[in-house]
Amino acid sequence: MLRYFDYQSYLSLFKSVNYGNDNSSPRVCSFVLGWICYAEKTHGSYILPYISSTKSPQQIMGSLVKDYFAAKQGQTPDQIYHVTVMPCYDKKLEASRQDFYSDLYRTRDVDCVITTGEVEKMLEKENVTLGQVEGNTAYCVLSGFGSPDGGLGSHLGGGSGGYLEHVMRYAVSQIHGSSVDSLQYKTLRNQDFQEVTVEIEGKRPLKMALAYGFRNIQNIVQKIKRGKMTYDFVEIMACPSGCANGGGQIRPMEGQTNNELLQRVKESYDSVPCVQPDLWPGVKDIYEEWLGGVDTEKARAMLHTQYHGVEKVASALNIQW
């Protein structure tokens, strides 16, 4: 469901800014805080205008829980304590940003962030395994938005976002009025830098890329600065191999390598039934009920954020004498 909110927002930006202007304004995804902090502190006004204003899935869930779910429960946002489990320590910093704090209710959209590695340590301390814990759906916000059997659901594009996969498919559908069975990824400098091009006769080609790890991110930044960016959209991850390899993830067991654990994580994710976000039952109904539509003032307030370039302060250490 959160993916559907993301794609609607990205598509709106893509159609209004990109399409038809010779790729001069690429959209760069914004859900990795390490990348956002790097852009704010290092590149400021050069890069921030190109970054999508769409909130990360964690913060969209924060809006959903503290606004929509709270109202459903007849409660105010400060009466709900919202905890997320994430593969990245940077998500703790993201939750603490002032943009995601309500002065009216004196509460944050996300109150506490725990990494998967921390969850493992908590369970070990209590000598408990997840298989022993009973599920509780009494306060399920997204009931019915998983797999067809009501369990977990995955999405195309793997466990590290899948943004390119779905933004491309959605753009082809909504802009070109067509569809694609599968996307062909072309590996460039390394496995963490790939591009996808969809060409339909009589239509302008759509070209997107994914760039994981700061070595590849810097390559994208330089292309944007030099005006040589040829992509309509770029999916960016700060960690090599993406969120499945996040710094907060569970560590390998004794005798197990990082690559072996990463492969196991990917296989586990792929074993879950895949569901197309925009086809999930009830999603569009919540969009209408909660936000009053796609391009409304409330949708912009709940699903979008802003970035803050950090002004560089001159000192004797960085002055070129």
Side-chain angles (χ1 to χ4, degrees):
M1 176 177 178
L2 298 181
R3 289 290 184 269
Y4 182 72
F5 292 145
D6 292 336
Y7 304 146
Q8 285 283 7
S9 300
Y10 280 127
L11 181 65
S12 176
L13 283 167
F14 180 82
K15 292 171 74 173
S16 63
V17 178
N18 284 67
Y19 192 67
N21 75 346
D22 197 27
N23 289 339
S24 61
S25 297
R27 287 293 98 186
V28 182
C29 74
S30 55
F31 63 98
V32 176
L33 189 72
W35 150 241
I36 295 301
C37 289
Y38 169 71
E40 289 180 327
K41 295 177 181 179
T42 307
H43 300 286
S45 59
Y46 285 105
I47 298 300
L48 295 182
Y50 298 99
I51 300 179
S52 167
S53 63
T54 304
K55 290 181 180 178
S56 71
Q58 171 177 275
Q59 297 309 138
I60 288 179
M61 178 61 84
S63 297
L64 190 69
V65 169
K66 290 296 183 87
D67 191 82
Y68 177 76
F69 177 69
K72 283 285 187 181
Q73 298 298 313
Q75 297 177 315
T76 57
D78 56 311
Q79 293 176 307
I80 294 178
Y81 193 79
H82 181 205
V83 180
T84 64
V85 177
M86 292 287 157
C88 177
Y89 286 106
D90 282 348
K91 288 298 177 182
K92 297 173 182 282
L93 179 60
E94 179 181 62
S96 71
R97 283 172 73 98
Q98 192 62 30
D99 301 289
F100 307 129
Y101 179 81
S102 170
D103 291 320
L104 177 61
Y105 293 102
R106 299 178 129 187
T107 185
R108 299 192 181 280
D109 294 342
V110 178
D111 297 290
C112 178
V113 180
I114 305 173
T115 68
T116 52
E118 289 172 333
V119 170
E120 181 187 43
K121 291 179 180 179
M122 292 165 65
L123 292 172
E124 289 176 348
K125 183 178 179 181
E126 299 297 327
N127 196 27
V128 174
T129 65
L130 283 178
Q132 298 173 311
V133 180
E134 293 185 8
N136 187 339
T137 61
Y139 295 102
C140 184
V141 183
L142 308 180
S143 178
F145 296 110
S147 64
D149 63 358
L152 294 174
S154 67
H155 53 76
L156 295 173
S160 287
Y163 282 82
L164 184 153
E165 184 83 23
H166 287 287
V167 170
M168 176 65 89
R169 289 174 178 273
Y170 208 64
V172 170
S173 170
Q174 299 297 310
I175 295 174
H176 287 342
S178 185
S179 63
V180 289
D181 294 328
S182 62
L183 300 181
Q184 301 301 314
Y185 288 78
K186 177 183 177 181
T187 301
L188 301 177
R189 295 188 175 189
N190 50 70
Q191 194 64 33
D192 280 339
F193 192 7
Q194 302 181 39
E195 67 177 31
V196 175
T197 302
V198 173
E199 297 180 332
I200 297 177
E201 188 175 355
K203 305 286 187 178
R204 181 174 78 76
L206 298 175
K207 192 174 182 180
M208 303 184 184
L210 60 81
Y212 294 175
F214 276 96
R215 180 176 59 171
N216 293 319
I217 290 174
Q218 289 170 348
N219 183 283
I220 292 294
V221 168
Q222 291 306 314
K223 285 181 179 291
I224 293 177
K225 281 189 170 183
R226 295 169 185 169
K228 295 184 177 181
M229 175 61 68
T230 60
Y231 302 122
D232 297 299
F233 174 83
V234 183
E235 174 187 323
I236 281 183
M237 295 274 182
C239 293
S241 299
C243 289
N245 189 40
Q249 287 282 50
I250 295 172
R251 299 306 180 195
M253 296 183 293
E254 186 175 350
Q256 185 182 43
T257 67
N258 284 326
N259 286 337
E260 288 173 341
L261 177 59
L262 179 60
Q263 185 59 36
R264 184 179 175 187
V265 171
K266 291 180 178 179
E267 290 173 355
S268 296
Y269 190 88
D270 291 339
S271 68
V272 177
C274 185
V275 185
Q276 185 77 9
D278 53 311
L279 298 181
W280 287 1
V283 172
K284 294 181 180 179
D285 293 338
I286 287 188
Y287 225 118
E288 291 295 329
E289 178 185 354
W290 177 37
L291 303 173
V294 175
D295 190 20
T296 64
E297 185 175 338
K298 184 165 185 178
R300 288 187 287 273
M302 293 290 106
L303 306 182
H304 294 267
T305 185
Q306 56 186 335
Y307 310 112
H308 317 278
V310 178
E311 187 174 338
K312 296 181 180 179
V313 179
S315 71
L317 296 177
N318 59 26
I319 293 177
Q320 294 184 358
W321 298 96

